Amino acid sequence: MHRLVKQLTLEEKAKLTVGIDRWQTAAIPRLGIPSIRMNDGPNGVRKEDESVFDEVNGHGSFPATCFPCISALANSWDAQLCRGVAGQLGAQAKALGVNVLLGPGINHKRTPVGGRNFEYFSEDPHLTGELASAYVEGLQETGVACSLKHFYGNNTEYNRFHVNVKMSERARREIYLPAFERVVRGAKPRTVMAAYNRLDGVYCSENERVLNGILRGEWGFEGLVVSDWDAVHDKVASVRAGCDLEMPFRSEETVRAVIQAVQSGALREEALDRCVDRILCLIDDVKDNCQNAAPVDWQGAHRAAVAAAEKCAVLLKNTGGVLPLEGSYCFIGAQARENSYQGGGSSHVNTPFVPNVLAEAEKLTGKRIPFARGYSYAEGGAAEENAALAEEAAALARAHAVAVVFLGYNENVETESRDRADISLPAAQNELVARLCAAGCKVVAVLFTGAPVEMPWAESVQAILQVGLAGEGSGLAAARLLLGLENPSGRLAETYPRRLEDNPSYPYYAADPDVLEYGEGIFTGYRYYVTENVKPLFPFGYGLSYTDFSYGGIAAEEEGGRIRLDVTVRNTGKRAGGTLVQWYVSCPQGAERPAAELKAFSKVYLAAGESAAVRLYVEKSALSRYDEHRGGWAFDEGEYTFSLRSDCFTVIGAAALTLGAEEKTKNLFEEKERRAFAR
Ligand code: BGC
């Protein structure tokens, strides 16, 4: 127990468990206890500046670098990149005097309509766990603490303050908890933020089973739990459950409630002491972490944001090698001049750099690129304006071999607090693409969205590049990728369904205003699509490159308590590029398991002609399933297939191992060099 706990009065202890304003903890000057500051957020530091008003969040914030949103970062599948970006965030947080940065958000993407999906990594817990761990380590290495959020079950914004989430124990254990567990055990986040929603009827900030039970009891979390902002409804219950700090300040009532509860015996003082102990330890750890912060090299950080954005883009289609651009082309769409690059809500960063692909491409090529606006975002009565803009754009397209059309939402659509109503782009944009396709030129679609969209024109266009909400560097990054100065290497960290209705959570979404029943169980995201063989528009793990790769020496061997997975990757094309080694496991027949589950991955960047041997390991225990009847993990004996895939559907090669009492290895497929990624 922290030495100062004993010296604090009951009132001081109660005070410490509530913020003093929106962002700071209480100070107790008589004992030299300072207050510390926490601010958002995951893709840039948002330290509020009360002297400025901003339309998105009320108060504006001090300028800071806007790095790619987490959903874009996840498409890089690059743990080193996540670590590096988080390190930059830490440096800026220190320079701005922020002791705790409120991120990353790692909630599982259950439905593509989730309003905050742009803040979250993936629909796969293994991928989320690995990337978020690198992020947390990179941030905390700077001395700035992180807040891993939102623990847990906050998978949409639907009635987000009150909704009661119900899921099976198996889904909890196999899907919704593992990423949190991986990060908590491995990367040791200094704080965890309890989510807004209720789980099994109890608010997360007041949920004994969630906080003292799973997080602390099962996983040994020793850090501090902070409530999400205004998430505490019953302060005494939250202290009892192990939610140490309530943010932000609500009223003196809250403090009095704690004092009275201790005095009346309704709350044991030891429970309060444990919260205070953890608050004091956090304060000790971070109170000096901003001292002597190095001045930020803002231009350098901007360049890092561009480099990061380049690694996040996913090339979804490239028929006939229409990309990289050459010859005669024009740019179309309002998003070419000011593209979407971040979402709305608490993560919103105030950056002075507004991405502009058109201007960047003109600078890079040294020539004027013909441009037409193509559509307007204006709501209501815009049909005529849009028809005229589309007509003008089609005329421009007819005069060029290639029309590059830039698409995305305005900032009010992908935002905290509200889910998307559907996953369509604005109708004017889809109609514009159809007109361009009819114009007789080749069409390249460039997307700036933080989540999947339906693409009714996917068959008709020649190329699709998903840049994502990729931060302030996304304009220059997109220009460099389109012109071939960089090679896209991202892979989808989530499924792009053909239609929203194909998503397995669809029948359960908003079926009841107060309850979200996770009826699809563990068959969420690609686990559902591969098992039921429902072909999505673009599968999880998918992405192309401007170069080609071959794969050889595919092998899986049991080695002690783990499986060794080997492959040699070669860049057989003419330019440098990145590819993804992704291993899936298919478990023995009989048990109700997904047809394939990601178990190991590594992002590999190779020069033209270069090859690399990639060896990865999977713990045998990671092959277990949660057995609800026994209330624990079970290992199914039998034949496991380890397949190297170019996306969750497409097998490049595989090996089978019989695991159990008698482990035997046999090769399923002949090893053969396979060209995985067609141009
Ligand atoms: C969000 C958190 C955020 C907090 C502080 C809440 O509304 O859910 O993610 O960290 O506000 O801005």
Side-chain angles (χ1 to χ4, degrees):
M1 192 67 67
H2 193 283
R3 67 188 167 83
L4 290 181
V5 176
K6 276 205 194 80
Q7 299 181 42
L8 289 161
T9 65
L10 175 58
E11 190 181 348
E12 286 169 334
K13 287 195 253 187
K15 260 190 169 162
L16 272 171
T17 67
V18 191
I20 37 157
D21 59 14
R22 279 195 67 68
W23 308 110
Q24 299 181 91
T25 61
I28 312 285
R30 98 179 160 85
L31 292 174
I33 301 170
S35 75
I36 56 166
R37 166 175 277 280
M38 31 193 82
N39 282 110
D40 289 298
N43 61 293
V45 183
R46 188 175 70 87
K47 180 179 175 184
E48 280 194 359
D49 177 355
E50 314 226 324
S51 64
V52 187
F53 184 78
D54 130 10
E55 281 176 13
V56 181
N57 282 310
H59 288 308
S61 53
F62 290 94
T65 306
C66 180
F67 288 95
C69 293
I70 296 289
S71 60
L73 213 49
N75 284 342
S76 75
W77 293 62
D78 185 337
Q80 275 308 104
L81 181 69
C82 295
R83 184 182 294 273
V85 165
Q88 298 259 353
L89 292 172
Q92 296 193 9
K94 282 163 84 164
L96 287 162
V98 176
N99 308 102
V100 180
L101 200 67
L102 302 171
I106 68 164
N107 296 83
H108 178 81
K109 293 186 186 183
R110 180 173 171 248
T111 161
V113 298
R116 292 185 92 170
N117 280 11
F118 71 91
E119 284 189 67
Y120 299 148
F121 286 88
S122 177
E123 64 184 28
D124 181 80
H126 178 67
L127 176 59
T128 298
E130 293 300 306
L131 297 185
S133 295
Y135 177 114
V136 168
E137 285 166 10
L139 177 62
Q140 296 200 148
E141 273 160 17
T142 67
V144 172
C146 81
S147 196
L148 189 70
K149 64 192 189 183
H150 309 87
F151 191 57
Y152 73 94
N154 181 191
N155 306 95
T156 54
E157 296 298 276
Y158 178 74
N159 187 11
R160 71 168 178 157
F161 295 122
H162 303 290
V163 79
N164 184 20
V165 167
K166 289 190 171 167
M167 59 177 87
S168 69
E169 193 59 22
R170 186 170 179 200
R172 203 185 304 269
R173 297 291 170 178
E174 292 190 21
I175 305 291
Y176 294 92
L177 287 173
F180 282 101
E181 180 174 6
R182 162 75 182 87
V183 183
V184 165
R185 286 188 193 269
K188 306 219 175 308
R190 209 50 205 75
T191 85
V192 168
M193 188 186 292
Y196 280 127
N197 52 283
R198 287 179 287 167
L199 266 170
D200 307 313
V202 185
Y203 286 106
C204 287
S205 316
E206 294 152 27
N207 199 315
E208 178 82 26
R209 179 174 184 221
V210 168
L211 303 180
N212 279 339
I214 296 173
L215 181 63
R216 294 207 166 91
E218 293 185 26
W219 303 345
F221 177 66
E222 288 177 350
L224 171 134
V225 173
V226 58
S227 71
D228 200 342
W229 267 229
D230 295 308
V232 173
H233 302 262
D234 178 341
K235 174 67 179 166
V236 173
S238 85
V239 171
R240 210 178 279 127
C243 180
D244 306 310
L245 176 64
E246 174 183 346
M247 287 298 288
F249 177 77
R250 218 172 357 137
S251 75
E252 289 299 338
E253 258 319 288
T254 330
V255 177
R256 270 201 298 279
V258 175
I259 298 170
Q260 277 163 13
V262 172
Q263 285 168 341
S264 71
L267 176 67
R268 294 201 355 258
E269 193 158 0
E270 299 87 81
L272 176 62
D273 285 354
R274 276 195 292 274
C275 293
V276 173
D277 170 45
R278 292 188 285 251
I279 293 165
L280 292 175
C281 289
L282 176 69
I283 293 175
D284 275 357
D285 277 5
V286 302
K287 65 178 193 283
D288 297 326
N289 66 3
C290 300
Q291 278 176 15
N292 307 322
V296 175
D297 167 9
W298 294 104
Q299 288 298 335
H302 177 67
R303 285 195 297 278
V306 174
E310 286 169 357
K311 290 187 164 168
C312 300
V314 188
L315 183 62
L316 295 172
K317 184 171 180 183
N318 196 16
T319 307
V322 63
L323 287 177
L325 292 173
E326 49 190 39
S328 128
Y329 55 85
C330 59
F331 279 14
I332 289 169
Q335 288 265 337
R337 280 207 300 217
E338 190 172 337
N339 62 264
S340 302
Y341 62 102
Q342 62 176 329
S346 61
S347 69
H348 195 269
V349 185
N350 171 17
T351 166
F353 294 92
V354 178
N356 182 330
V357 196
L358 179 64
E360 300 292 0
E362 289 186 336
K363 268 190 258 164
L364 290 171
T365 56
K367 62 177 195 204
R368 202 186 69 77
I369 298 173
F371 170 74
R373 192 148 67 92
Y375 53 84
S376 133
Y377 290 118
E379 281 168 26
E384 265 178 38
E385 186 192 356
N386 275 319
L389 289 169
E391 182 55 47
E392 181 199 3
L396 185 69
R398 276 192 290 272
H400 292 86
V402 180
V404 188
V405 59
F406 297 84
L407 308 164
Y409 300 108
N410 66 26
E411 237 179 45
N412 302 324
V413 179
E414 293 187 87
T415 184
E416 181 175 337
S417 305
R418 190 173 60 244
D419 290 339
R420 282 188 294 167
D422 53 40
I423 60 169
S424 310
L425 281 168
Q429 297 191 25
N430 284 333
E431 282 156 21
L432 170 69
V433 181
R435 290 208 58 170
L436 298 177
C437 291
C441 61
K442 291 181 174 162
V443 177
V444 174
V446 180
L447 288 164
F448 294 102
T449 63
V453 289
E454 288 167 354
M455 303 179 211
W457 34 259
E459 303 292 324
S460 316
V461 300
Q462 277 64 43
I464 306 171
L465 180 70
Q466 169 56 297
V467 179
L469 294 178
E472 67 180 46
S474 54
L476 178 52
R480 287 173 56 79
L481 289 157
L482 289 169
L483 295 168
L485 300 168
E486 277 301 324
N487 188 350
S489 64
R491 299 287 182 269
L492 294 181
E494 62 192 301
T495 304
Y496 278 40
R498 287 192 180 278
R499 318 169 307 150
L500 174 60
E501 294 85 323
D502 290 344
N503 178 274
S505 74
Y506 185 78
Y508 308 101
Y509 180 80
D512 178 317
D514 300 317
V515 181
L516 276 178
E517 193 83 51
Y518 286 20
E520 73 282 15
I522 62 162
F523 293 94
T524 164
Y526 75 86
R527 285 168 168 75
Y528 162 79
Y529 293 100
V530 291
T531 307
E532 297 301 325
N533 201 20
V534 176
K535 288 277 160 42
L537 186 57
F538 297 110
F540 175 83
Y542 178 78
L544 306 172
S545 167
Y546 295 155
T547 187
D548 300 309
F549 297 92
S550 68
Y551 302 83
I554 295 166
E557 294 289 339
E558 199 182 356
E559 191 183 276
R562 54 190 191 163
I563 315 301
R564 195 184 68 218
L565 302 166
D566 283 303
V567 61
T568 300
V569 191
R570 204 162 97 82
N571 180 347
T572 57
K574 291 197 171 58
R575 57 163 77 217
T579 188
L580 179 68
V581 169
Q582 43 187 324
W583 284 98
Y584 293 77
V585 68
S586 307
C587 299
Q589 300 285 311
E592 224 207 6
R593 312 273 303 243
E597 285 187 279
L598 180 79
K599 288 294 166 189
F601 69 91
S602 177
K603 188 70 179 287
V604 189
Y605 298 97
L606 295 171
E610 195 185 355
S611 58
V614 181
R615 172 165 289 179
L616 299 172
Y617 290 93
V618 179
E619 294 297 323
K620 224 173 129 180
S621 57
L623 307 176
S624 305
R625 78 184 147 82
Y626 193 82
D627 183 335
E628 299 202 328
H629 303 295
R630 289 176 39 196
W633 294 93
F635 189 86
D636 293 317
E637 296 197 340
E639 190 176 86
Y640 285 78
T641 304
F642 294 87
S643 49
L644 182 82
R645 301 186 179 209
S646 57
D647 59 62
C648 67
F649 273 92
T650 314
V651 176
I652 299 170
L657 293 176
T658 300
L659 301 176
E662 271 183 22
E663 286 90 4
K664 265 174 62 195
T665 312
K666 66 174 181 163
N667 282 327
L668 258 196
F669 301 104
E670 264 181 54
E671 274 177 21
K672 55 182 176 189
E673 294 271 315
R674 296 260 306 246
R675 294 171 78 80
F677 300 121
R679 265 185 84 173

